[in-house]
Each structure stands twice: as structure tokens, then as C-alpha cells.
Amino acid sequence: MSPGRIVELLIRHWMLVTVSCAGVIVVMILVMLLWTIRSKKTGAKPKAESPDDKDGSEGIGGADYKLITEKILQLGGKTRSVLFAATGFNCLPITIPVNVAIQLAGQKKRCLLIDLDLKRDAVAKAFNLVDKPDPEDLRPKPYKTPFENLLVWPAHNFTKTKQMNVKPLVQAAVGKFDLVLINAPYLEGSPDRMQIVSAAQCGIIFTQNSTQATRLTELMKTTQCKLISNIQAAVEKS
């Protein structure tokens, strides 16, 4: 077909050509818009929810150890005991208190992590602690860790003595440590929950829904333990 014939056909069917080109352009624009929207959704970062949210939780992952650490450091030197509380370890995996304690120790804060996970002895397992009792002194003691400034009080210290003496323990520890963290992943179901809550000056609750948040908040209101944060924890395996 000659160039002249092609030009003649284009002139004769100019509207069809114009509509077809316009359709291609529209399709391309729609594809670009859809790609942009999808990119924004997949790359979106969690953000803090407003105070009007019904469960009052902050839209951050429980694995955001740095943010939790900063919250504790902002409390100042007068607040030395902090409770980490939940209704189960699916809301408060051991990775959270362990990593926060490590970061606090890295900030030159002498820190004691007390574990109340009596079911799993989770802190001892996290640090691979080997129990070597002193035959001359069988009293429970804190264990050193590979991290400078960080000692831990494993859950088996409580099971050995068969006493949940967490309140006097915390009271004694705050005189020797800059910060005492209390890991209580099963707080609501513990028969010693009132003693545990009253042992701390403030607390952070880790929840997955408004029902859990309400129950833990009401429990803390019965003592002088101040609730400083409700964290919507990501589900992790520990």
C-alpha cells in the first residue's frame, strides 16, 4: 500500500483513530493510578491512633523495641519499675521485654529484668541460662547476661522457692538498679496479679483488642501503678 493511500485512509477514518488513541491513553493512566495506590498501601507505616480510638491502643507493632525503650527513658529517673502486662504470650512474646532490656542497658542504664512467665521460664531460655546452685548459699540470685548493665531474675527463681515475692523483690531492686522491668505475660490469670501490679510504679499493656485493653486497664486502676501505654502488639512466635 502506497503512502498516499495510507494518508487517505487516516483522513477518512480520523475519528476512529482518535478514539482508539484516546482509549489507550486512558488505560495507561488508570494502570499508573492503580500502581501508585497499591504502592502507597504496601509501603504504609503504622501510625499512632487518636485518643478517640475505642481501645486506646497505639498503632505500633510490639516489635518496635526502640519506641518502647524511648517511652521508658522519657519517664525520668524517679520511675524505676515498669510492668509489661498482657493476657497471654501471644500478645507479649519474650522478644519484647528482652530486647527492650538490652536497649536500656545499651543506654548505660543498669537494668534488672524479672520474668514472671512461670509456665515457660522464657527469660532463662532466651539467655541460655544454666542453673548452677551454690551449695553454700541456696538463695535465689540474679543472673548475669552477655550484656553489660543487664541482669535477669528468671522465673525458676520463683518456682524453686514456691513464693511469688515479687513486690519485696522489686522494692529491693530499685535501690540497686536504674530500671526494673517486670515481664507478666499472663497477668490477668495470675492469682498474684494484685501483688504484681502493685509492685510497679507504671505499666505498659500489650493487647490485641479493646476487650483485653479494658480488662487490663481496670486491673491497673485498682493500684497506684500508672498506665503509660497500651501497645497493639504484633503476633509473634517466641
Side-chain angles (χ1 to χ4, degrees):
M1 184 180 293
S2 64
R5 179 60 176 166
I6 294 173
V7 172
E8 182 181 348
L9 289 173
L10 287 174
I11 293 172
R12 187 174 299 175
H13 302 288
W14 66 271
M15 183 169 289
L16 179 61
V17 173
T18 302
V19 171
S20 299
C21 291
V24 172
I25 294 173
V26 169
V27 170
M28 291 178 66
I29 292 174
L30 288 174
V31 170
M32 291 179 67
L33 285 173
L34 289 172
W35 181 85
T36 302
I37 293 171
R38 184 177 179 181
S39 298
K40 287 183 178 180
K41 285 185 177 179
T42 54
K45 296 182 178 180
K47 61 181 180 179
E49 299 178 2
S50 69
D52 295 329
D53 294 328
K54 63 179 181 179
D55 64 354
S57 65
E58 298 181 40
I60 63 174
D64 197 339
Y65 314 124
K66 184 177 180 181
L67 183 55
I68 299 172
T69 301
E70 289 174 352
K71 283 180 176 293
I72 294 174
L73 291 174
Q74 289 170 2
L75 297 173
K78 292 184 179 180
T79 301
R80 295 196 171 188
S81 53
V82 182
L83 174 66
F84 285 22
T87 59
F89 74 88
N90 58 325
C91 295
L92 179 53
I94 193 58
T95 50
I96 295 176
V98 165
N99 279 281
V100 171
I102 291 172
Q103 291 199 9
L104 289 170
Q107 294 292 324
K108 307 300 181 183
K109 298 294 184 181
R110 185 167 168 78
C111 184
L112 175 67
L113 173 57
I114 299 174
D115 186 23
L116 301 183
D117 189 347
L118 305 181
K119 297 180 181 179
R120 302 181 304 157
D121 200 15
V123 166
K125 293 177 181 177
F127 287 101
N128 295 316
L129 299 181
V130 178
D131 192 11
K132 296 180 179 180
D134 184 349
E136 297 182 0
D137 187 0
L138 298 178
R139 292 176 300 176
K141 298 181 180 66
Y143 288 69
K144 293 182 179 179
T145 71
F147 301 92
E148 186 180 3
N149 298 320
L150 175 57
L151 279 74
V152 298
W153 190 277
H156 64 245
N157 275 358
F158 295 106
T159 55
K160 284 194 304 183
T161 60
K162 298 182 180 179
Q163 292 181 340
M164 181 57 74
N165 56 340
V166 63
K167 190 169 184 177
L169 172 63
V170 172
Q171 290 174 341
V174 293
K176 300 177 182 179
F177 294 87
D178 297 315
L179 286 163
V180 178
L181 305 184
I182 308 165
N183 177 49
Y186 309 100
L187 178 65
E188 187 182 32
S190 171
D192 301 291
R193 55 187 175 274
M194 296 306 301
Q195 180 193 171
I196 295 170
V197 175
S198 62
Q201 292 172 281
C202 62
I204 302 174
I205 60 175
F206 296 80
T207 64
Q208 291 180 332
N209 54 59
S210 59
T211 301
Q212 292 177 352
T214 300
R215 293 201 305 259
L216 290 175
T217 299
E218 291 301 317
L219 178 59
M220 295 186 69
K221 284 181 179 179
T222 61
T223 70
Q224 294 183 346
C225 183
K226 181 181 178 182
L227 177 62
I228 60 172
S229 188
N230 171 19
I231 291 178
Q232 187 74 38
V235 178
E236 297 182 18
K237 293 183 179 179
S238 60

